[in-house]
Structures are given as C-alpha cells and as structure tokens.
C-alpha cells in the first residue's frame, strides 16, 4: 500500500534540498571578502579546531560564513523582502518600513548588552570629567546623536516601539556631565516639528544628512560659546541623486534613492586635510571619487580613518579641536572645522594610541565626543577612552 506524503514533508524536503544545493554551490563559487551592497566585510571560513567544535563556536561561525557566502545572496535578500512585504509586514530584517519611503533601523532594548552599555557610558563619563579638569570648563562637549527612530516618530509604523535612546544622556546627566551635553535631540526634534527645508536623515541609510548635521552643529556651537555660520553663508550643492545606503542593503528592493547634499561655505577656506599621518595634504573636505562607488557617504572626509587632521588657515578663533567619533561626525566636521585652525578626528576602531598623550602632545584646547547613540552603546572600542 502506497504511503501518502504530506505537504509539510514535501516542503521540508524541498527546503533542505535548496539549502544543500546552496551549500554545494558555495564550495565552488569564488569567495567574496567584501560586500559592496552591504558595505561590510564578509565572514571568513572558521578554523576547524577541537575546542571550537566542542564549545559550539565552530557551528555558529560556520553558519554565519555560509550565510555570507550563499550564492546570489543579494538577490535572495530582495526576494525574501518582497515575500514579507506581500504579507504586509512593517518590520523586515531589523528595518521599519516607514511612511514616505523611509527605511528606519529598528533598535530595541534587548539588542543592547546592558553590561557593555554601562561600561561605555562609565568610560565616557570618566574621560570627559578628567579632560574638563585639564582643559577647563566649557572645553569638553559630548554629542550623542539620536537616530531616525527617535526623531522621525511620525514616519514609524503604528506598531513600532523602539527603545528610548534618551536613557543614555539621562545616565550621563546623573554622572555629572549635564553642562557638557549638547542638546542635539531637542534641536533635531524642534527642526523636524518646524518642517525642515531638507530631510534631517536619509531614507535609505542610517546616517543623518548634511542638513541634520548642520542642525547639530548649531546646537554644538551655541553650547560651546561659538557663533555658527548662518544658512545664508553656505551654498548647498546636490552631488548625487542615486544614493542607496546601508539600511537599503538589508532589504535590497527597489526604492527611490536618496540625494546627497554638501554645504559649502560661500567664503570657503583653503583646506589642507591629512589622513592617517600622510605628509601629502588633500585640499578638499570631500572625496568626489566616492560618488562613483556604492559607498557614496564616503564623499564626506573620505570615510573611515584612524586619524584625520584638518588645517584651516582662515579660522575665526584659535585653539585645536579633537573630535572622537564614529561616522556621524563625517558630515559634521566640515562645519566645526570652520572655527579652529586645526581639527583632529580620531576613530577608536582604527586608532590605538593613548588619547591623553595625544591631547597633551598636540596641545588640544577643545574636545568633542560625537557618536550615534546605539552605535556608541554597542562599540567595544570605547574602553580606549580610559587608557590614559
């Protein structure tokens, strides 16, 4: 007598066959080390050791490796997203499908490691208090930038409930940093409520736009006792209208691209920019060649570098500014650098020197710590702030 094969069994078999075929193809297809679409390095094949197998680490690492190297990965991501959109899902792969075409990164409290978050905030508080004691009141500022989910709340789906990022600044206030905190959240919320002329955040990327950075710059300048350059002092130039950012890469479906705008001072200084200790300066704050690549946001100060030095011979004040930062600072620094003859930028992911020594040797007069809040809470390099 023939045995009936159930529908679930057939689907399970087809799914296993699909995975097996994908795994087999991945053996013969060339290994990819970097994904232009996702703008990140892909997982390498893990080393097979007894300890790794025993602990289960080899299995989990190999699963990540197979996922990253799966044949036609980008196309399958798009197919999966399309299927989930048909099901009317409003959050896919950690992204809220917001109103007006906004793709907004979803952050939840459970995404954060409470121990690491507290460790990072403690390190920042200790560093800021120590540097203020050395440099003087008003010379150390902390700008923790909220992401789009905190500011563009009207764009979120009705069911969205991301965690409140204000808890990070509340912690720092209680740690004694109230006078150092730049009220950037209030400035962005007010600008959004007033109806900004230009978007404050990209629709397809996790960064704020140059307009968002300009709003933050005004708040920082006011808190620092500086006079910010008025909007009329800039010409705004659209340099790209086909930017698809890192959040789009998680979904890989057709969307309207973003525009990238540059705020150029009408009386622009004769910049000299030195990357990672180079003795040969670049005479622009913008890497226009990056606009020909997938990672167009790299147009701002050529993307990630361990140490960037900006020289402005036409600065309106003295002193030296040190910005300790993530990539949110890349479109912010062109504004801040207008006020200092020299501005240094440090990315702790790529810089391993002792910050205390750098501040002393370079005769730094002002310090700004600028990070996106969720990124700061999850960054495992923040401990470098307390190295010395």
């Amino acid at each position: 007598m023939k045995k009936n094969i159930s529908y679930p069994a057939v689907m399970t078999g087809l799914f296993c066959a699909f995975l097996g075929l994908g795994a087999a193809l991945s053996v013969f297809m060339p290994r990819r080390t970097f994904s232009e679409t996702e703008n990140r390095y892909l997982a390498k094949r893990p080393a097979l050791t007894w300890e790794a197998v025993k602990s289960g680490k080899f299995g989990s690492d190999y699963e990540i490796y197979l996922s990253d190297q799966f044949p036609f990965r980008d196309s399958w991501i798009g197919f999966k997203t399309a299927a989930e959109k048909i099901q009317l899902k409003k959050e896919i792969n950690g992204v809220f499908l917001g109103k007006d075409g906004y793709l907004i990164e979803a952050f939840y409290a459970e995404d954060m490691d409470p121990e690491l978050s507290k460790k990072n905030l403690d390190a920042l508080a200790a560093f800021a208090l120590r540097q203020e004691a050395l440099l003087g009141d008003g010379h150390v500022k902390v700008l923790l930038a909220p992401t789009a989910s905190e500011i563009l709340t009207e764009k979120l789906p009705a069911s969205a409930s991301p965690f409140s990022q204000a808890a990070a600044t509340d912690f720092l206030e209680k740690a004694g940093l109230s006078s150092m905190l730049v009220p950037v959240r209030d400035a962005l919320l007010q600008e959004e409520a007033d109806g900004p002329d230009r978007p404050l955040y990209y629709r397809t990327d996790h960064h704020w736009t140059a307009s968002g950075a300009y709003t933050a710059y005004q708040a920082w300048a006011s808190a620092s006792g500086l006079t910010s350059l008025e909007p009329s002092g800039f010409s705004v130039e659209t340099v790209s209208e086909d930017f698809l950012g890192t959040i789009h890469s998680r979904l890989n479906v057709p969307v309207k691209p973003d525009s990238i705008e540059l705020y150029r001072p009408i009386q622009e200084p004769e910049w000299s920019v030195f990357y990672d200790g180079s003795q040969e300066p670049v005479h622009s704050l913008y890497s226009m060649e990056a606009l020909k690549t997938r990672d167009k946001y790299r147009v701002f100060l050529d993307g990630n570098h361990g140490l960037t030095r900006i020289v402005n011979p036409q600065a309106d004040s003295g002193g030296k500014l040190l910005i300790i930062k993530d990539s949110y600072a890349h479109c912010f620094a062109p504004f801040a650098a207008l006020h200092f003859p020299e501005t240094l930028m440090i990315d702790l992911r790529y810089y391993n020197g002792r910050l205390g020594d750098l501040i002393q040797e370079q005769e730094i007069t002002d310090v700004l710590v600028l990070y996106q809040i969720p990124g700061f809470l999850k960054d495992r390099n923040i401990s470098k702030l307390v190295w010395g």
Side-chain angles (χ1 to χ4, degrees), residues 116-328:
L116 178 61
S117 297
K118 184 178 184 304
K119 181 180 176 182
N120 286 353
L121 290 167
D122 284 338
L124 173 55
F127 172 80
L129 290 168
R130 183 172 67 250
Q131 293 307 320
E132 185 181 57
L134 295 171
L135 301 177
D137 292 347
H139 289 275
V140 178
K141 295 298 176 187
V142 174
L143 196 165
L144 292 186
T147 62
S149 64
E150 188 84 355
I151 303 301
L152 307 183
T153 53
E154 292 187 357
K155 306 292 186 188
L156 292 172
S159 59
S161 56
F163 87 108
S164 173
Q165 299 174 24
T169 50
D170 291 344
F171 180 99
L172 295 174
E173 284 184 357
K174 293 176 182 177
L177 271 64
S178 296
S179 62
M180 300 185 215
L181 294 174
V182 176
V184 63
R185 180 176 182 273
D186 292 343
L188 289 166
L189 284 172
Q190 185 61 57
E191 185 70 16
E192 182 63 20
D194 291 343
D197 294 332
R198 296 177 175 85
L200 301 178
Y201 292 85
Y202 293 110
R203 286 178 294 99
T204 70
D205 192 68
H206 68 286
H207 293 103
W208 54 19
T209 62
S211 295
Y214 176 74
T215 298
Y217 155 69
Q218 288 180 305
W220 166 79
S222 177
S224 302
L226 300 170
T227 302
S228 58
L229 191 61
E230 292 296 322
S232 59
F234 297 93
S235 63
V236 181
E237 177 185 359
T238 301
V239 294
S240 175
E241 294 182 330
D242 59 353
F243 174 45
L244 294 173
T246 54
I247 299 180
H248 170 261
S249 68
R250 296 189 191 180
L251 307 181
N252 206 27
V253 290
V255 295
K256 181 181 177 181
D258 278 302
S259 294
I260 294 180
E261 296 178 330
L262 309 181
Y263 278 55
R264 293 186 180 275
I266 293 173
Q267 296 181 350
E268 188 155 11
E270 298 175 2
W271 304 108
S272 292
V273 185
F274 301 83
Y275 295 114
D276 295 322
S278 171
Q279 299 302 309
E280 293 295 325
V282 177
H283 297 291
S284 174
L285 301 181
Y286 303 109
S287 177
M288 305 307 287
E289 287 296 312
L291 298 173
K292 301 175 184 177
T293 70
R294 169 81 187 190
D295 184 14
K296 291 178 172 58
Y297 185 76
R298 192 169 58 81
V299 68
F300 298 103
L301 284 164
D302 197 47
N304 297 318
H305 291 273
L307 172 63
T308 301
R309 185 162 68 96
I310 305 170
V311 176
N312 172 13
Q314 285 87 43
D316 59 11
S317 64
K320 278 189 182 182
L321 173 65
L322 171 64
I323 303 176
I324 302 168
K325 57 82 186 179
D326 65 7
S327 56
Y328 260 54

